[in-house]
């Protein structure tokens, strides 16, 4: 299964972190730090895999990809295929790119909620559920439609109830 | 009235809050501005959130919660305090709020969160919602936090969702089953059938999800899922989706080793995929499946190796790396695959990617054999000189590990190996001090023939003052010092050793190592004195009317018989002379051992270069004694008990003999008087004491010591703590690290000594000493020697950069071509010396322990469903026994699985003897049933006749099974694990 998804910038600031084997919050920070420690010491043009037994315990691997100022990291165990995970990072980035039109770090910074929506469509409880970025986009668009719809309804009753209260 | 006032107050305030509330975006912007520093800003924001989250306005509340989630997720702030608010927001009817609530829950809830009890109904409601996205939210939440209670209560809803027409929901429901099963195994009975039905789904997304679930389940306990093999086989053949295929391959990799007939059937389709696929991920998965689980299928392995070759020569470092990994999986069984690719493997040893370097190092080590260990080690050591520190130590570590494996079974020429150890110690980046220390001592204890060479190596290490400055070498130096003391009789020049042991720069050593140095100096001193006495006796013994003690006479005779001249040498003024050639194999052969404890190998190439000269002159002995006194005098004030103790020993000893020796030896060559004999008696006694040979001690030795009667080991020793509170435990014992057999012996004895010593000066004396130290600090040795002077010494040795890495790789290629391709047993010039091995406890047993199945309950339930057994109690009853049995003999997957299976079924069968179907069962499982009766022997039985018996039995009832499947697939009466038709 997939144990964690992380996106961090080249300074080690986390931009997205989701752990599928529930980790306590201070442990999460430590894990992200140690992952960054490993990644930043690696040169460009080397393989994208890191053995992560020392960080995440036995049977864990890291695959990462470096795009511009961001590292995309997946932590997984032996039930996943390394190259498939690499493809999956590609899928995630493609989806983000479609969603934000030339995605950059700032998009990730300001769209916390939307990115989690995307993530939740691709990964589910540590399993990969969707590998087509078009399908993911479809679901994400519907969710945001639903959200705006529910919000637009909210404004009216709230103000009404507010007035009625007086 | 009052209510109206309040509500108007609240609602107006909520409007104010809503208007002026910071949104998440504002928060992020504020954080980025960093006007007041991040932590200050965040704590202010948290204060705000704490206020806002209590608001009655759902919008304010949910926005506050969203901000909190953000801070928890990316700034790691605790949000457990808001758990109740999370529940409130989750229950909001508006989707956007609900989403925020669910997100916060999946972020912050864990199995022990108290409010979990409150969300069951909410989840149930949302799982039944008509809005598929609301259902998704609930499922997502359940996949993160499901307690046994939640899983139990929501199982019916999950069951319904498993066959919903909404693909988006169904795939999530399938995935969540994994978590539900883990928490509430009884859910298997409800949901498993529907889960299996989804394997027939034509929708690729559903299929991917369900295969993913089975992949996870099978990785925990593959045996239970064997009956589903036909379904997986169909998917393997039909599916065009690489994701699905990869997962199915992973399942087969687990199942195939359990059932040879299945493997036979599946191997061809896998090879087909391997040949056809263009996707590298699928190709690699096929390769991995073949090399890990189908290694006995020659043609499949050959095909896989061809494909591995493709990966190895690819430009993509990822493929290179994975190719190397696949090779190292196959190396133990098919070394030829590695040998075929050795040029590539060795080439990647100098790759820039550390992963690739490491993998190729592993493969190179896999190629090491008796015949090429010398050459490969040589080249690797040269390689390590040019590598970065990390990789250098990887190389050294793997050489040390490979060479010492199974009590050095790889090593034939131990002289070479100990000199390699010496050389490795001098590599500047070497941090393997502990391991080298252990091996130096261990080899000394085990291999008699290597001791002369070992001493030479130790001497070279000790004598080099530059090495003392490198803290990584201190443990090695301790070992070298120990060797030089223990095997001093092989020394050509013990005076030189003494000088090395007492050199001023030993003050750089930690005290524990220093104690070893001092003790070794003691041994060397005794040796010199003893040799001197023997020598003077041998001179005087030419006088017939000599008063010689019986003992020494005996010794003398022995010496004469052995024909060993007592070698003599000129004054030791030239200890450290440049002309001393360590390569010279000659060493002194004094053979002064009278107890016969040591048999010195006369067959060695001792040229006795110094045989005509006398080392042990009167002057040299006096010099030696003075030297020891001078060097150790200051240490009598040491605070370390170990150092103090040993210094005292040696100085007291000198005090005891010095007077006599100086007096009596003045009249050298004259008749010895009985008074002198007292000193020589002492010396002989000491020498006897030290010449007792130390051997390796078995790991289990301690267990074999019977506990004396009346000894209460488990007595409560709490009182002691109050008494011993002021006694410090020494930092580290002599050689107690790593090498347990040795550590026990020395560690215990030294501990005893220490305690005796420490209890004496602990209170008054130490306070006086420290007082004195304060006053006259000048005359004391510095306390923290390492810290003060340790760092400014140059590294031990400059790396030798003679040849380029390219040469090395070429060398290595050549070597492996020479020695590996032929792969014949070499005819060694040297015969392998005897290596002392002890009982079982000594051998390194590499047992591949398999992870114990933690969810016996799930697999039990799965078996029950798949095999149709209707006794609910079966799993729960047999569970404890399963656990114990799997713990007891976790040797081999296969055996355990089958025994578990049998025990499971056995429990369910025995009560219903009359039941015709169960009798039929008995009849069917001829070969296996016996295994059930004597579970201990299952392994052997299976190996003997299991194969045949099983094949027959399943042959027979395969038809039965088919019939059962046809009419009532659900209500099949209890059956033994039948392997489905297609396998036959």
């Amino acid at each position: 299964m997939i144990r964690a998804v992380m996106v961090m910038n080249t300074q080690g600031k986390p931009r997205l972190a989701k752990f599928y084997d529930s980790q306590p919050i201070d442990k999460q920070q430590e894990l992200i730090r140690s992952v960054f420690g490993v990644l930043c010491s690696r040169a460009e043009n080397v393989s994208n895999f890191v053995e992560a037994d020392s960080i995440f315990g036995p049977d864990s691997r890291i695959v990462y990809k470096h795009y511009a100022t961001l590292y995309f990291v997946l932590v997984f165990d032996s039930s996943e295929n390394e190259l498939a995970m690499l493809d999956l990072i590609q899928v995630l980035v493609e989806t983000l790119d479609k969603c934000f039109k030339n995605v950059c770090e700032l998009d990730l910074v300001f769209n916390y909620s939307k990115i989690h929506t995307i993530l939740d469509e691709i990964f589910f409880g540590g399993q990969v559920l969707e590998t087509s970025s078009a399908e993911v986009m479809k679901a994400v668009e519907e969710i945001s439609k639903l959200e705006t719809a529910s919000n637009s309804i909210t404004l009216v009753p709230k103000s009404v109830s507010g007035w009625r209260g007086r | 009235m009052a209510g109206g006032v309040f509500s108007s107050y609240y609602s107006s305030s909520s409007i104010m809050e809503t208007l002026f509330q910071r949104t998440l975006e504002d928060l992020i912007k504020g954080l980025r501005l960093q006007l007041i520093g991040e932590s200050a800003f965040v704590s202010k924001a948290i204060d705000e959130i704490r206020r806002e989250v209590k608001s009655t306005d759902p919008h304010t509340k949910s926005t506050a919660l969203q901000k909190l989630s953000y801070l928890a997720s990316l700034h790691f702030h605790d949000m457990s305090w808001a758990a109740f608010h999370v529940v409130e927001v989750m229950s909001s009817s508006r989707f956007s709020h609900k989403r925020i609530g669910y997100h916060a829950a999946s972020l912050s809830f864990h199995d022990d969160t108290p409010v979990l009890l409150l969300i069951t109904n909410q989840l149930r409601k949302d799982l039944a919602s008509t809005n598929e996205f609301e259902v998704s939210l609930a499922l997502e939440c359940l996949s993160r936090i499901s307690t046994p209670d939640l899983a139990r209560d929501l199982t019916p809803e999950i069951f319904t969702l498993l066959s919903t027409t909404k693909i988006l929901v169904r795939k999530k429901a399938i995935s969540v089953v994994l978590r539900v099963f883990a928490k509430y195994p009884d859910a298997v009975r409800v949901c498993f059938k529907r889960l299996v039905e989804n394997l027939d789904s034509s929708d690729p997304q559903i299929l991917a999800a369900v295969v993913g679930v089975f992949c996870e389940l099978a990785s925990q306990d593959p045996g239970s899922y064997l009956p589903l093999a036909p379904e997986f086989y169909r998917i393997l053949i039909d599916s065009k989706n690489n994701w699905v295929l990869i997962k199915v391959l992973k399942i087969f990799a687990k199942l195939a080793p359990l059932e040879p007939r299945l493997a036979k059937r599946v191997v061809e389709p896998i090879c087909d995929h391997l040949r056809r696929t263009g996707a590298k991920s699928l190709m690699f998965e096929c390769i991995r499946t073949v090399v890990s689980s189908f290694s006995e299928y020659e043609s499949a392995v050959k095909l896989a190796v061809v494909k591995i070759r493709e990966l190895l020569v690819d430009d993509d470092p990822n493929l290179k790396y994975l190719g190397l990994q696949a090779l190292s999986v196959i190396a133990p069984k098919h070394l030829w695959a590695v040998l075929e690719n050795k040029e590539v493997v060795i080439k990647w040893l100098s790759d820039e990617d550390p992963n690739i370097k490491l993998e190729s190092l592993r493969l190179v080590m896999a190629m090491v054999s008796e015949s090429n260990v010398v050459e490969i080690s040589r080249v690797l050591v040269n390689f390590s000189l040019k590598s970065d520190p990390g990789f250098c130590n990887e190389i050294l570590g793997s050489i040390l590990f490979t060479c010492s494996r199974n009590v050095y079974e790889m090593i034939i020429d131990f002289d070479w190996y100990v000199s390699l150890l010496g050389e490795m110690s001098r590599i500047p980046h070497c941090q393997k001090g502990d391991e080298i220390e252990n091996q130096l001592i261990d080899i000394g204890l085990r291999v008699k023939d290597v001791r002369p060479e070992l001493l030479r190596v130790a001497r070279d290490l000790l004598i080099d003052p530059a090495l003392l400055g490198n803290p990584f070498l201190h443990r090695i130096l301790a070992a070298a010092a120990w060797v030089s003391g223990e095997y001093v009789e092989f020394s050509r020049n013990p005076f030189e050793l003494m000088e090395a042991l007492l050199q001023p720069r030993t003050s750089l050593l930690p005290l524990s190592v220093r104690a070893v140095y001092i003790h070794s100096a003691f041994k060397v001193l005794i040796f010199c004195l003893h040799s001197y006495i023997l020598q003077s006796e041998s001179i005087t013994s030419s006088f017939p009317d000599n008063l010689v003690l019986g003992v020494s006479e005996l010794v003398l005779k022995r010496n004469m018989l052995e024909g060993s001249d007592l070698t003599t040498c000129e004054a030791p003024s030239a200890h450290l002379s440049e002309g001393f050639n360590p390569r010279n194999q000659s060493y002194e052969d004094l053979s002064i051992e009278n107890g016969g404890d040591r048999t010195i190998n006369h067959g060695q190439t001792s040229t006795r270069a110094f045989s005509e000269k006398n080392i042990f002159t009167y002057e040299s002995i006096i010099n030696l004694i003075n030297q020891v006194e001078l060097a150790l005098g200051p240490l009598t004030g040491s605070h370390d008990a170990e150092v103090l103790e040993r210094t005292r020993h040696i100085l007291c000893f000198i005090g005891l003999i010095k007077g006599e020796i100086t007096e009596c030896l003045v009249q050298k060559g004259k008749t010895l008087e009985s008074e002198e004999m007292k000193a020589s008696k002492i010396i002989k006694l000491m020498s006897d004491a030290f010449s007792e040979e130390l051997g390796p001690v078995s790991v289990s030795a301690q267990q074999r010591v019977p506990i004396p009667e009346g000894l209460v080991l488990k007595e409560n020793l709490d009182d002691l703590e109050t008494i011993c509170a002021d006694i410090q435990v020494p930092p580290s014992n002599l050689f107690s690290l790593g090498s347990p057999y040795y550590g026990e012996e020395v560690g215990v004895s030294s501990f005893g000594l220490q305690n005796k010593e420490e209890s004496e000066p602990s209170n008054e004396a130490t306070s006086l000493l420290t007082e004195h130290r304060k006053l006259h600090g000048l005359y004391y040795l510095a306390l923290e020697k390492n810290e003060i002077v340790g760092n400014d010494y140059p590294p031990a040795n400059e790396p030798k950069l003679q040849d380029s890495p390219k040469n090395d790789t070429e060398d290595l290629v050549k070597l492996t071509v020479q020695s590996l391709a032929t792969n014949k047993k070499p005819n060694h010039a040297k015969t392998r010396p005897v290596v002392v091995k002890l009982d079982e406890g000594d051998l390194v047993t590499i047992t591949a322990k398999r992870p114990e199945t933690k969810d016996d309950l799930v697999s039990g339930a799965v078996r029950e469903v798949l095999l149709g057994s209707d006794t609910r109690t079966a799993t729960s009853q047999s569970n404890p026994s399963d656990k114990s049995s799997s713990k007891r003999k976790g040797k081999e997957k296969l055996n355990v699985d089958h025994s578990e299976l049998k025990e499971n079924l056995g429990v369910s069968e025995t009560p219903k003897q009359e039941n015709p179907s169960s009798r039929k069962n008995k009849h069917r499982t001829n070969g296996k049933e016996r295994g059930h009766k004597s579970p201990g022997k299952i392994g052997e039985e299976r190996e003997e006749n299991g194969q045949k018996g099983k094949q027959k039995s399943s042959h027979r009832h395969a038809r039965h099974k088919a019939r059962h499947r046809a009419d009532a697939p659900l209500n099949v009466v209890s059956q033994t694990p039948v392997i489905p038709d297609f396998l036959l």
Side-chain angles (χ1 to χ4, degrees), chain A residues 1 18-19 42 47-49 78-82 112-113 117 121 130-131 147 151 154 158, chain B residues 18 57 94 96 99 103 131 144 171-172 205 216 243 247 250 281 285 288 318 321 353 355:
Chain A
M1 76 178 253
K18 190 144 187 175
F19 293 83
R42 291 179 64 81
S47 57
N48 299 84
F49 307 119
S78 59
S79 326
E80 306 293 337
N81 178 294
E82 288 86 348
Y112 174 77
S113 159
T117 316
E121 286 308 308
E130 185 54 77
T131 51
E147 274 192 320
N151 270 337
T154 65
K158 193 174 68 185
Chain B
T18 316
D57 175 50
R94 282 175 210 137
S96 57
R99 228 180 77 76
H103 176 71
N131 182 340
R144 299 294 303 271
K171 66 181 182 186
K172 288 183 179 175
Q205 292 186 35
E216 292 290 333
W243 286 88
K247 290 282 179 181
K250 283 197 182 284
S281 54
E285 199 56 51
R288 181 155 58 192
N318 291 329
Y321 172 66
D353 189 337
N355 284 345

Side-chain angles (χ1 to χ4, degrees), chain B residues 72-90:
Chain B
S73 170
L74 294 177
H75 294 266
F76 311 104
H77 281 275
D78 176 51
M79 63 176 287
S80 54
W81 55 269
F84 188 74
H85 303 293
V86 172
V87 177
E88 286 179 311
V89 177
M90 273 167 84

Side-chain angles (χ1 to χ4, degrees), chain A:
Chain A
M1 76 178 253
I2 290 163
R3 300 171 69 173
V5 183
M6 303 174 192
V7 179
M8 59 185 90
N9 72 5
T10 40
Q11 268 102 53
K13 258 195 188 308
R15 292 304 181 202
L16 170 71
K18 190 144 187 175
F19 293 83
Y20 292 97
D21 47 352
S22 42
Q23 300 275 5
I25 229 157
D26 39 345
K27 179 85 177 148
Q28 292 184 7
Q29 187 166 19
E30 191 192 313
L31 290 173
I32 291 176
R33 256 192 220 136
S34 13
V35 168
F36 177 70
V38 173
L39 295 192
C40 66
S41 67
R42 291 179 64 81
E44 287 287 327
N45 303 324
V46 296
S47 57
N48 299 84
F49 307 119
V50 181
E51 273 170 45
D53 294 10
S54 57
I55 304 173
F56 290 91
D59 188 21
S60 50
R61 264 156 264 188
I62 287 177
V63 61
Y64 72 98
K65 223 163 179 185
H66 187 183
Y67 290 96
T69 58
L70 292 173
Y71 285 116
F72 286 76
V73 185
L74 286 182
V75 186
F76 56 96
D77 65 13
S78 59
S79 326
E80 306 293 337
N81 178 294
E82 288 86 348
L83 293 169
M85 290 298 108
L86 206 57
D87 289 345
L88 202 61
I89 293 183
Q90 184 66 36
V91 170
L92 175 64
V93 174
E94 251 172 48
T95 317
L96 290 172
D97 207 42
K98 275 185 195 161
C99 195
F100 298 112
K101 311 267 178 305
N102 290 328
V103 66
C104 67
E105 193 183 340
L106 270 187
D107 293 320
L108 266 64
V109 171
F110 283 106
N111 293 285
Y112 174 77
S113 159
K114 190 150 197 176
I115 287 159
H116 273 277
T117 316
I118 294 173
L119 205 60
D120 291 349
E121 286 308 308
I122 300 177
F123 304 97
F124 180 90
Q127 300 287 310
V128 182
L129 272 201
E130 185 54 77
T131 51
S132 132
S133 59
E135 289 289 330
V136 176
M137 279 309 294
K138 229 164 68 188
V140 170
E141 270 159 24
E142 274 191 57
I143 288 172
S144 37
K145 242 185 259 167
L146 210 59
E147 274 192 320
T148 43
S150 69
N151 270 337
S152 63
I153 308 163
T154 65
L155 276 176
V156 184
K158 193 174 68 185
S159 53
V160 168
S161 74
W163 287 111
R164 204 191 292 148
R166 274 194 185 172

Side-chain angles (χ1 to χ4, degrees), chain B residues 425-437:
Chain B
S425 318
R426 288 161 184 270
I427 291 173
H429 298 308
C430 174
Q431 293 175 11
K432 296 283 171 193
D434 289 358
E435 184 56 30
I436 295 178
E437 174 202 14

